[in-house]
Amino acid sequence: MDISTMAAFAAVTFIAVVTPGPDVILAMANGSRFGMKKAVAGMIGVLLSDFFLIAAVAAGLGAILAASEFWFSVVKYVGAGYLAWLGYKMLRPGRTEKAEGQNSENADLVRTESALAICRHSMIVAITNPKAYLFFSALLPQFINPGAPQLPQFLALTAVFTVVEFAVMFGYALVGFKTTQFAALSMRRWMERGCGGALLVSAASLALVKRVNG
């Protein structure tokens, strides 16, 4: 796999992941609510899901979801329900803790959540998105040379994808973190509500998405 192919894949990946979706919305929300250390835990969850998704696609699961309306719907509704639950959690009052970089008077904006829980939430959101399986199923074959060993190519593309996605999510999380540090109290509250609302919209959008036949 040559450098030009890797660069082209990195460019396509950047365009795909920089567009606000559930993963980057969660990264921004985690950065604003919990600080960068816990936001990175969420990013690790997404990156772990990337390995699972690409391995699943390589094993043919993407083709199964593309062919089966039933299994596509099962994954879709589980993912939409989980997104809706996370969005609802951001909209309701909850227990709080002092976040990295916050002073005590701003601590009421941060919900109590362990790094492991944040990692788990992000991983589940990514794995239960059927569009991710279809995305990888459509994208990866365009950059795979069928005449060369498959495993090294899948590993190389996975590495590129995870590096680009981590960089994008880190940027979104940093924006959320800096907003929490410097923005007015009312703006920080509305930002959290906005992230929760965006997740609810993403949940509705995922619930309405239809499998493309053929």
Side-chain angles (χ1 to χ4, degrees):
M1 186 170 289
D2 57 36
I3 297 298
S4 61
T5 300
M6 301 284 280
F9 181 75
V12 172
T13 296
F14 178 80
I15 293 171
V17 301
V18 78
T19 305
D23 294 341
V24 295
I25 292 171
L26 271 179
M28 178 179 284
N30 290 336
S32 66
R33 301 166 78 212
F34 306 116
M36 290 302 295
K37 289 181 180 179
K38 287 189 175 181
V40 169
M43 298 175 211
I44 291 173
V46 174
L47 299 185
L48 290 174
S49 75
D50 289 339
F51 286 97
F52 174 86
L53 290 168
I54 292 175
V57 167
L61 183 56
I64 293 174
L65 291 180
S68 171
E69 183 69 36
F70 172 77
W71 288 113
F72 182 87
S73 296
V74 168
V75 176
K76 175 179 74 172
Y77 288 123
V78 170
Y82 198 78
L83 273 177
W85 177 68
L86 291 178
Y88 167 74
K89 284 181 65 179
M90 291 186 193
L91 295 177
R92 67 178 177 82
R95 294 175 56 200
T96 61
E97 66 180 9
K98 185 177 178 181
E100 170 194 348
Q102 281 194 318
N103 56 45
S104 58
E105 69 183 37
N106 294 334
D108 65 319
L109 295 179
V110 185
R111 313 307 183 195
T112 301
E113 198 87 58
S114 70
L116 181 60
I118 293 169
C119 178
R120 183 177 65 248
H121 293 327
S122 298
M123 187 173 183
I124 292 174
V125 165
I127 288 176
T128 56
N129 184 354
K131 292 188 292 184
Y133 296 92
L134 302 186
F135 169 77
F136 282 122
S137 294
L139 179 65
L140 294 179
Q142 309 303 317
F143 297 90
I144 294 290
N145 178 0
Q150 302 284 293
L151 182 58
Q153 296 183 78
F154 274 107
L155 291 176
L157 294 179
T158 301
V160 171
F161 190 91
T162 54
V163 168
V164 172
E165 185 171 39
F166 181 85
V168 171
M169 289 190 298
F170 192 90
Y172 272 91
L174 191 60
V175 169
F177 176 55
K178 292 299 183 181
T179 300
T180 300
Q181 284 189 305
F182 300 115
L185 180 63
S186 59
M187 181 177 177
R188 292 194 294 272
R189 284 176 174 158
W190 279 110
M191 180 178 179
E192 181 173 357
R193 292 168 184 166
C195 288
L199 288 182
L200 291 177
V201 171
S202 296
S205 175
L206 181 58
L208 294 174
V209 72
K210 294 189 179 295
R211 181 179 61 90
V212 178
N213 295 316

